[in-house]
Amino acid sequence: MEKLSIIKIGGNIIEDETSLNSFLKLFSKLEGKKILVHGGGKRATHISSKLGIESKLINGRRITDKETLEVITMVYGGLVNKNIVAKLQALQIDAIGLTGADINSIQSEKRPVKEIDFGFVGDVKKVASNSIDKLIKADFTPVFCAITHDGNGQLLNTNADTIASTIAVGMSKIYETSIYYCFELNGVLSDFNDKNSVIKQIDSETYQKLLKDNIITDGMIPKIDNCFDALNNGVSKVHIGNTAMLTKENENFTTITL
């Protein structure tokens, strides 16, 4: 099977022009087939504030009312996505910017209301692997923002980490897929106060021990659980670290396997 890399970047990289340019250079040099997935929450919060729209977050998750959805669509699907695509074209990468509505690539359903009404937030149900593969086989590099749709004309705000993992799972029927979650730390740390204490390999057995010893806690638990979920559904490897993990020289990041 041919290899396919799915790389996800978040707000800290997107917000800083130097970091973004540096990442995109690394991304452009990454060999083989690849897909980029990006968020943009910090930029959306900043622009909402300028427009006098209050951003509502509960436990770090955005409540997406009608006004917020309009801002997110403009920011994620427009400003951030097209800025990235233009920068990639300058690096000779023939990129194509997409939401999940484009070519019906990612369908979601509106999250049911339980204790909290998250509004227009989507949980992914279906990835159109063959449609996405047509773009890849035509030598385009898909760049997905964190917006999907419900198949009935409604756009939905969707977690970018989830989009990256569900695309990787969907594409694993066609390719040997790996996910790279890029964030500000070097990887999963054994000591949060020591930024170089990277745990380089985590498998299911190691993970249980790290949980028992309270080394992996809080927000990192759902992240790693998502990683194992992807691995159990066909993804080959998941990597977590800063953008330097895309270079051959750097080995100081975390790789998660079964």
Side-chain angles (χ1 to χ4, degrees):
M1 264 183 160
E2 200 174 355
K3 293 185 177 182
L4 173 68
S5 302
I6 291 94
I7 295 93
K8 186 265 170 177
I9 55 168
N12 289 337
I13 297 168
I14 292 162
E15 280 303 294
D16 183 72
E17 195 80 3
T18 307
S19 299
L20 180 60
N21 289 336
S22 169
F23 162 75
L24 292 174
K25 277 181 189 166
L26 292 177
F27 179 79
S28 71
K29 288 174 184 167
L30 189 66
E31 291 173 5
K33 313 282 189 193
K34 53 202 171 192
I35 292 172
L36 179 57
V37 178
H38 67 81
K42 288 189 176 180
R43 183 69 60 89
T45 299
H46 176 64
I47 288 175
S48 291
S49 171
K50 275 186 167 180
L51 295 169
I53 299 164
E54 185 192 349
S55 292
K56 303 179 198 77
L57 290 108
I58 295 178
N59 301 327
R61 295 190 176 196
R62 189 181 298 275
I63 304 296
T64 308
D65 58 19
K66 190 171 180 293
E67 277 189 323
T68 303
L69 183 66
E70 287 177 353
V71 174
I72 281 170
T73 304
M74 288 188 285
V75 175
Y76 295 2
L79 183 63
V80 174
N81 188 268
K82 298 313 167 195
N83 186 42
I84 289 171
V85 168
K87 286 176 182 292
L88 285 172
Q89 301 297 354
L91 294 163
Q92 280 69 58
I93 297 291
D94 213 351
I96 179 165
L98 303 162
T99 69
D102 295 293
I103 61 168
N104 194 26
S105 50
I106 310 168
Q107 266 197 42
S108 295
E109 70 175 9
K110 188 171 176 289
R111 184 169 297 164
V113 178
K114 290 179 184 172
E115 286 152 31
I116 301 162
D117 182 357
F118 284 99
F120 294 101
V121 167
D123 295 320
V124 178
K125 290 294 158 197
K126 192 166 70 174
V127 171
S129 323
N130 291 329
S131 299
I132 296 169
D133 191 39
K134 283 177 187 173
L135 295 175
I136 293 169
K137 284 200 165 55
D139 289 328
F140 294 123
T141 297
V143 178
F144 280 97
C145 69
I147 296 170
T148 58
H149 76 130
D150 68 355
N152 295 305
Q154 180 63 59
L155 294 173
L156 295 164
N157 181 18
T158 306
N159 181 277
D161 281 358
T162 305
I163 286 180
S165 65
T166 51
I167 287 174
V169 168
M171 299 309 290
S172 68
K173 302 173 191 115
I174 307 165
Y175 296 93
E176 183 187 321
T177 59
S178 295
I179 309 171
Y180 293 82
Y181 285 116
C182 296
F183 71 153
E184 60 277 7
L185 300 176
N186 292 333
V188 181
L189 306 176
S190 59
D191 175 2
F192 192 74
N193 297 313
D194 178 1
K195 303 305 178 194
N196 291 313
S197 63
V198 175
I199 306 164
K200 291 192 178 178
Q201 296 279 342
I202 298 175
D203 59 22
S204 0
E205 196 177 318
T206 317
Y207 181 44
Q208 291 311 314
K209 188 174 187 309
L210 292 167
L211 284 174
K212 193 178 169 191
D213 295 344
N214 285 323
I215 290 167
I216 291 177
T217 57
D218 304 328
M220 192 52 83
I221 295 172
K223 235 186 203 329
I224 307 261
D225 284 343
N226 279 339
C227 295
F228 278 109
D229 188 50
L231 291 166
N232 280 313
N233 284 285
V235 173
S236 299
K237 283 180 184 173
V238 181
H239 311 277
I240 300 175
N242 65 25
T243 56
M245 70 178 160
L246 300 181
T247 64
K248 287 178 181 172
E249 297 76 33
N250 179 49
E251 293 178 351
N252 196 33
F253 56 88
T254 302
T255 296
I256 299 175
T257 59
L258 287 174

